[in-house]
Amino acid sequence: MSKIIAERYELLELIGQGGMADVYLAKDIILNRTIAIKILRTSLAKDPIYVTRFQREASAAAALSHKNIVEIYDVGEDEDKYYIVMEYVPGRTLKELILKRGAVHVVEAIDIMKQVVSGIAKAHQLGIIHRDLKPQNILVTDSGVAKIADFGIASMQSLAQVTQTDVIMGSLHYLAPELARGEKATVQSDIYALGIVFYELLRGEVPFNGESPVNIALKHMQEDLPSLLEFNPSILQSVENIVIKATAKNLNDRYHNVTEMLEDLNTCMERPNEKKLEFVYDTETEPTIVLDSRSMFNSANTTNVASTTESIQDDKVKDEKGLKKLLTKFKNLDIKAKVAIIVGFIFVAGVTTFLVYANIRPDTNLMPDLEGKDKEQAIELLKEYNVTISDDIIEELSDEYEKGEIVKTDPKKGSTIKEGDVVKLTISKGKYIVVDDYLGMDVNKAEKALKKLGFKVIIEKEVSSKTKGTVIEQSIEKDEKVDPTDKDREIT
């Protein structure tokens, strides 16, 4: 299948496929070395938003230099093929290792995790969150060196690309509860995934399986991980405690940064008498429950209400004697005390009645979170609320959301809405173009890249100590934001 990319990289064979790109074993003809080259799928290469993000995030990954991160050598484009040239790591993925061997010996598992966590620590220092940590994205050489791959690229996957069952099932096994709730990825989301990877190394399988992605996500949100010590009693409690802390559902209980996790990995084998880590929650505080008023009074719920009413009647009979004693005490109080108690009772009853009415009134609901969804998804989600989506849609640029995705709503998410209300949407008209650093780049290559982003390129020449044809200055600074809808944008 011999083919040359950029007159330099000879493709030898296909060695991997992902949701957005294909990975080939290749040879760098100039440097005469074996490399791996990842090429963006043709269908995505036609989308300028994906291309821009691919280039920007690949550049960010290239800035990472660490022995436990796959090194990026080059990023480019050739005949509408966008590629990343990277270090070729002979060996297998951590997933393949687990599938072949099952549970890994605790000492080896700790060694692998030290390497992986060390690499992630470097990324987090530079503000890069992996977002898709799993054994499939960790390569292990025959000599036992672990290297993390696919930095930043995972964040490119929009909902449109995560529709394949294998993609969903593969990632959800390592998905932090807050991500399953639709919250943003943070360093603690990566830490949760690291905890699940550590569990899988020690157990030989993931903690939660299910028939559907929703089932798996719910388990991550609601259930404790099965005990590692029940599976293998020889594992020290201090080792399991690392998994427990890394995968804590409450972010306050979870490691706040990977450095803390790395410190525990370095010392866990020196703490043989450690007690099991348990998080204490306030069990007396009842959680807020939002009821769907339309389904509240169906036949099943009516049965529950009837049985509850019978229970209350039983309690009422049992408490009659106690009530008589309270009335006797009340009669013996002076007038001021009696008035104070009656006023207090009326106030509490009034507040309670208001809250009950506000929560079960048939025409009242809470505005759902529509951010990041498109208009069609919003229409589908709002059907049951019997509200109208305004035709007056606002469009604005966004740092976070792709073109066509909802940036915000009016009313805001979580606020009260009722039947007949009008919902206004603010939709992203695309992300800002973030200007790269072209200093030191060949002027022809820089001009070509900028023209693809829609810039009019003005070239000025001056004498310099730099190599002829090298960019020595640019009129728009690196990381400056530019409106992609501005048709007259130019750069010198």
Side-chain angles (χ1 to χ4, degrees), residues 60-72 119 122-123 126:
L64 286 168
S65 179
H66 192 276
K67 63 180 180 179
N68 298 117
I69 296 175
V70 175
E71 188 174 355
I72 305 296
K122 177 66 175 180
L126 298 177

Side-chain angles (χ1 to χ4, degrees), residues 56 346 362 372 410:
R56 184 170 71 247
I346 292 171
D410 182 16

Side-chain angles (χ1 to χ4, degrees), residues 15 25 69 82 123 138 146 149 283 291 304 343 354 369 380 410 479:
I15 57 174
L25 178 67
I69 296 175
Y82 296 88
I138 299 169
T283 55
L291 297 176
N304 291 335
V343 170
F354 171 77
D369 183 3
E380 188 65 30
D410 182 16
D479 293 332

Side-chain angles (χ1 to χ4, degrees), residues 436-447 450 457-460 462 464 466-476 491-492:
D436 281 336
D437 184 3
Y438 296 97
L439 301 184
M441 187 182 291
D442 177 76
V443 65
N444 294 323
K445 190 174 181 181
E447 182 181 18
L450 286 162
V457 182
I458 300 170
I459 298 174
E460 295 180 355
E462 64 179 52
S464 166
K466 302 293 183 181
T467 305
K468 182 179 179 180
T470 300
V471 178
I472 58 173
E473 190 176 342
Q474 60 189 66
S475 61
I476 303 178
I491 185 171
T492 303

Side-chain angles (χ1 to χ4, degrees), residues 78-309:
D78 181 39
E79 297 180 354
D80 294 328
K81 285 185 171 58
Y82 296 88
Y83 61 85
I84 302 173
V85 179
M86 65 190 78
E87 170 189 11
Y88 171 63
V89 182
R92 67 191 75 186
T93 67
L94 189 58
K95 189 69 173 181
E96 291 170 334
L97 181 71
I98 295 170
L99 289 173
K100 182 179 179 180
R101 294 174 48 187
V104 177
H105 188 276
V106 62
V107 174
E108 186 180 359
I110 291 171
D111 179 61
I112 291 172
M113 288 306 300
K114 284 180 184 178
Q115 296 181 65
V116 174
V117 172
S118 179
I120 292 297
K122 177 66 175 180
H124 286 181
Q125 286 173 10
L126 298 177
I128 299 173
I129 300 169
H130 194 288
R131 296 178 177 88
D132 195 28
L133 277 168
K134 53 188 178 184
Q136 293 91 324
N137 288 336
I138 299 169
L139 305 173
V140 183
T141 68
D142 294 334
S143 59
V145 177
K147 288 180 178 283
I148 310 159
D150 284 348
F151 264 96
I153 308 304
S155 66
M156 291 174 58
Q157 295 188 3
S158 69
L159 290 174
Q161 271 66 54
V162 193
T163 55
Q164 301 172 39
T165 303
D166 57 336
V167 174
I168 294 174
M169 297 293 279
S171 295
L172 271 183
H173 286 112
Y174 312 90
L175 193 71
E178 63 271 17
L179 296 185
R181 291 192 297 266
E183 298 172 20
K184 292 181 181 179
T186 65
V187 295
Q188 286 183 289
S189 309
D190 275 356
I191 289 170
Y192 186 91
L194 288 169
I196 300 296
V197 171
F198 195 18
Y199 182 100
E200 188 175 0
L201 274 169
L202 295 168
R203 178 73 188 266
E205 60 184 43
V206 291
F208 300 127
N209 273 303
E211 296 178 356
S212 69
V214 172
N215 183 263
I216 296 172
L218 285 174
K219 287 183 178 180
H220 279 285
M221 294 169 69
Q222 299 172 354
E223 297 183 15
D224 292 332
L225 271 60
S227 171
L228 281 169
L229 270 64
E230 288 182 10
F231 166 74
N232 183 359
S234 67
I235 295 175
L236 292 180
Q237 185 60 65
S238 56
V239 174
E240 186 185 41
N241 282 347
I242 296 174
V243 174
I244 293 172
K245 189 167 185 178
T247 59
K249 314 250 186 269
N250 190 324
L251 294 177
N252 292 324
D253 296 325
R254 198 180 303 170
Y255 287 111
H256 292 91
N257 55 67
V258 287
T259 304
E260 295 177 358
M261 187 175 181
L262 185 58
E263 288 173 356
D264 276 354
L265 284 166
N266 285 326
T267 60
C268 61
M269 297 302 285
E270 301 167 7
R271 306 192 304 272
N273 300 318
E274 190 167 288
K275 293 183 179 180
K276 183 173 183 177
L277 187 61
E278 294 181 323
F279 301 118
V280 179
Y281 301 100
D282 186 0
T283 55
E284 293 184 359
T285 302
E286 292 295 329
T288 301
I289 300 172
V290 179
L291 297 176
D292 182 352
S293 55
R294 281 180 292 279
S295 62
M296 186 176 177
F297 298 104
N298 61 24
S299 59
N301 285 330
T302 304
T303 303
N304 291 335
V305 171
S307 61
T308 303
T309 304

